[in-house]
Amino acid sequence: MRLPFEIDLKGKVAVVTGAGGILCSSMAHALAQCGAKVALLDLNEETAKQKAEGIAKEGKIANGYQANVLEPESLKAAHKKILEELGPCDILINGAGGNHPLATTDKEYFAAEDLKGDVKTFFDLEQDGVEFVFDLNFIGTLLPTQEFAKDMIGKQVCNILNISSMNAFTPLTKIPAYSGAKAAVSNFTQWLAVHFAKEGIRVNALAPGFFVTGQNERLLYREDGSPTERTGKILAATPMNRFGRTEELIGSMLFLLSEEAAGFITGVVLPIDGGFSAYSGV
Ligand code: NAD
């Protein structure tokens, strides 16, 4: 991967959760390119190992580990292996997260007649689905931080980077649980930044806007490559009138992790969104 710029992470150990996924595997790759020894954690052991092997093939240091960000014992077991194989954690990227269909309404606006039809309304949202999304995004940020931030105590130059979202500032339609959970992640980022400030641990978050990934490509573009209605709405609400590019996320990550560039920045949630969060629509 071509980096927008490089920072020196030689001698650092970076732990990335959700690293089998699209965005966080790119982040892990970039960290390794900057010299960090990278631990890729994912619920899916195969993808974590596969992505790590891809990075290691380039001569960088990267290992894959199975870990569930919702189970302290699983995190502890992964941590033990990482300490043996790579060393104590200096950088934690809390990347695991996502939404669930059980916590998603079918329509943007409620209409009384939907109650009679085959439409999933706000009233049909299931507690299990809502709890799944809150747990994955919020508890899934808190537990890995409890496990890995202990390594950072007493070191002075360490970083925690959470992954929030556009919907944390203003909720996107249909996904109340995901929006609320990411708002909690942003709030927690500020809380942790204050709590760890005297220990020299900076805590920030990225809030990605809209990036075309394998996951959402079919929602954004039809088979013939023409944009869907949702793409039209997103681009109309994005003053820069385009989707984000992965390297723009990587550049923001490296900036926040760099002691030289961002050594006085802690507790920020950085939108990378082409102006989406600043635009009122008028
Ligand atoms: P993704 O679905 O490609 O990757 C998520 C990874 O997390 C998957 O590999 C999955 O196996 C793993 N995971 C799921 N549950 C887990 C658990 N309990 N323990 C450990 N790992 C688990 O998602 P992505 O698009 O790369 O998103 C990464 C982060 O960025 C998420 O927090 C997401 O909410 C956030 N985000 C994504 C976008 C986007 O446009 N894709 C926008 C804003 C924010």
Side-chain angles (χ1 to χ4, degrees):
M1 178 171 45
R2 204 177 144 268
L3 297 180
F5 57 89
E6 282 194 30
I7 62 171
D8 184 6
L9 297 179
K10 270 189 235 59
K12 301 273 186 191
V13 172
V15 173
V16 183
T17 73
I22 314 260
L23 298 180
C24 294
S25 58
S26 300
M27 291 184 187
H29 191 174
L31 294 168
Q33 284 176 278
C34 290
K37 293 182 266 182
V38 186
L40 290 88
L41 272 56
D42 205 282
L43 191 57
N44 184 332
E45 183 170 17
E46 205 182 314
T47 54
K49 289 201 181 297
Q50 211 175 48
K51 301 281 184 187
E53 275 161 24
I55 297 170
K57 264 193 196 129
E58 294 179 7
K60 314 290 174 200
I61 302 171
N63 290 350
Y65 303 89
Q66 200 278 338
N68 184 345
V69 293
L70 300 177
E71 287 180 6
E73 286 312 314
S74 156
L75 289 164
K76 217 175 270 310
H79 192 182
K80 190 166 173 282
K81 285 188 208 158
I82 294 166
L83 283 170
E84 287 163 8
E85 293 168 9
L86 302 177
C89 173
D90 302 278
I91 297 167
L92 171 65
I93 312 279
N94 280 311
N99 189 33
H100 195 283
L102 289 178
T104 305
T105 63
D106 282 347
K107 290 171 64 176
E108 294 189 346
Y109 296 99
F110 178 78
E113 66 264 24
D114 294 343
L115 291 174
K116 293 181 215 133
D118 189 19
V119 175
K120 178 146 53 89
T121 72
F122 165 71
F123 299 102
D124 301 312
L125 295 182
E126 297 190 22
Q127 186 175 342
D128 280 356
V130 173
E131 284 174 353
F132 173 90
V133 175
F134 264 86
D135 282 353
L136 177 56
N137 292 281
F138 182 70
I139 303 295
T141 297
L142 183 135
L143 295 181
T145 303
Q146 286 182 317
E147 185 61 43
F148 290 102
K150 275 198 198 126
D151 288 359
M152 303 178 186
I153 306 301
K155 278 193 179 172
Q156 285 304 319
V157 182
C158 289
N159 272 277
I160 299 170
L161 192 65
N162 297 328
I163 311 296
S164 184
S165 173
M166 256 324 84
N167 57 42
F169 302 102
T170 308
L172 299 183
T173 56
K174 299 184 181 182
I175 51 172
Y178 186 52
S179 300
K182 287 300 193 186
V185 169
S186 291
N187 189 281
F188 183 51
T189 300
Q190 294 177 307
W191 188 90
L192 273 177
V194 172
H195 194 63
F196 284 143
K198 306 279 193 283
E199 279 299 318
I201 304 171
R202 293 189 295 109
V203 187
N204 293 295
L206 300 181
F210 296 90
F211 289 72
V212 184
T213 61
Q215 218 186 33
N216 59 14
E217 198 172 6
R218 286 275 69 85
L219 282 173
L220 302 174
Y221 291 99
R222 299 190 188 89
E223 297 264 320
D224 64 6
S226 61
T228 61
E229 192 188 339
R230 194 170 174 83
T231 286
K233 287 185 84 166
I234 291 168
L235 294 182
T238 302
M240 290 178 78
N241 202 238
R242 65 170 173 85
F243 288 111
R245 304 183 187 108
T246 312
E247 62 269 26
E248 290 168 323
L249 214 55
I250 299 300
S252 304
M253 174 190 76
L254 296 177
F255 162 67
L256 286 174
L257 294 181
S258 161
E259 209 47 32
E260 289 73 22
F264 198 46
I265 299 180
T266 194
V268 304
V269 179
L270 182 66
I272 306 137
D273 67 344
F276 181 92
S277 58
Y279 184 45
S280 72
V282 178

